[in-house]
Amino acid sequence: AQKVTQAQTEISVVEKEDVTLDCVYETRDTTYYLFWYKQPPSGELVFLIRRNSFDEQNEISGRYSWNFQKSTSSFNFTITASQVVDSAVYFCALRNLSGYSTLTFGKGTMLLVSP
Amino acid sequence: GAGVSQSPSNKVTEKGKDVELRCDPISGHTALYWYRQSLGQGLEFLIYFQGNSAPDKSGLPSDRFSAERTGGSVSTLTIQRTQQEDSAVYLCASSLARQTYEQYFGPGTRLTVT
């Protein structure tokens, strides 16, 4: 069985603050993929990043960065200098390569960035 | 190019009626997934299609739920004898193949059962 835990239900920050969204996962598989999706108020899930279990290099994309640590089964997401447009629900998800590779999602973290 | 589209965007139905939700995946995507997003429940997997076949129906919550896919493209999720607990946003996603490719999601259908 696999599980994704996003312990932070809701986070509120003021614009320009840095914010980290936590994600902890459980899986018995040695090969898997981790994802982050953003769901703005419009409702459509937007793909942000995919990482495979063999690649623990951290990744930076503009104001976004991701910290993958296999030792702690975590895949945290940091937004630097947050902006109002970052306000959304963010989902972390896990997909094994066994079985039918469906996504297991965390319950999401709602990020509210105020001006 | 065009993304995943879903229709209707909103559906209000009376308890006991049947509803059909439609998903048009991205052209060329062979894998198609249905998920349900309920308040407080997060996103739950319902069913997966590879081409027209559904090798994984493990997430369908009851036999009132069924889905089909035709021509390796459009999929329809049918809920019979709707119940209030079926109220949720139903999301469809597609990907190039099931293994390593990210899934692209549609805007969802918000179903309200009164």
Side-chain angles (χ1 to χ4, degrees), chain A residues 33 35 37 39 44-45 47 50 91 95 97 99-103 105 107, chain B residues 35 37 41 43 45 48 55-56 91 98-103 105-107:
Chain A
Y33 283 86
F35 300 80
Y37 283 86
Q39 188 176 41
E44 192 161 340
L45 277 160
F47 165 76
R50 177 191 73 195
F91 290 93
R95 186 171 78 212
L97 293 188
Y100 298 110
S101 302
T102 55
L103 285 169
F105 285 88
K107 291 194 183 297
Chain B
Y35 294 86
Q37 187 174 20
Q41 295 298 317
L43 278 145
F45 163 76
Y48 154 69
D56 189 354
L91 291 160
R98 67 177 175 90
Q99 285 288 340
T100 61
Y101 295 94
E102 49 271 21
Q103 297 175 21
F105 284 78

Side-chain angles (χ1 to χ4, degrees), chain B residues 3-92:
Chain B
V4 178
S5 61
Q6 292 185 244
S7 60
S9 55
N10 277 285
K11 176 72 177 177
V12 180
T13 190
E14 291 180 356
K15 179 181 171 181
K17 300 278 179 124
D18 298 352
V19 295
E20 283 190 353
L21 312 179
R22 177 188 168 107
C23 171
D24 279 277
I26 293 172
S27 178
H29 281 195
T30 60
L32 186 147
Y33 306 79
W34 282 98
Y35 294 86
R36 178 169 71 173
Q37 187 174 20
S38 308
L39 195 63
Q41 295 298 317
L43 278 145
E44 308 168 77
F45 163 76
L46 296 178
I47 188 169
Y48 154 69
F49 285 92
Q50 180 60 40
N52 291 334
S53 64
D56 189 354
K57 306 178 183 179
S58 61
L60 293 177
S62 78
D63 59 8
R64 296 185 296 104
F65 287 71
S66 63
E68 64 174 13
R69 189 179 184 196
T70 55
S73 181
V74 172
S75 176
T76 302
L77 177 69
T78 302
I79 308 173
Q80 296 179 307
R81 304 180 303 281
T82 51
Q83 304 292 315
Q84 287 185 331
E85 61 262 29
D86 300 333
S87 296
V89 176
Y90 290 81
L91 291 160
C92 175

Side-chain angles (χ1 to χ4, degrees), chain A residues 49-105:
Chain A
I49 189 171
R50 177 191 73 195
R51 298 306 302 275
N52 73 57
S53 52
F54 297 125
D55 182 3
E56 286 192 70
Q57 261 194 326
N58 291 331
E59 184 158 338
I60 297 174
S61 176
R63 295 184 297 105
Y64 294 171
S65 62
W66 290 269
N67 183 357
F68 176 30
Q69 292 200 347
K70 226 169 170 178
S71 59
T72 56
S73 297
S74 65
F75 185 43
N76 296 338
F77 172 30
T78 298
I79 302 174
T80 304
S82 58
Q83 300 176 1
V84 172
V85 294
D86 295 328
S87 296
V89 180
Y90 291 86
F91 290 93
C92 180
L94 165 72
R95 186 171 78 212
N96 293 329
L97 293 188
S98 59
Y100 298 110
S101 302
T102 55
L103 285 169
T104 298
F105 285 88

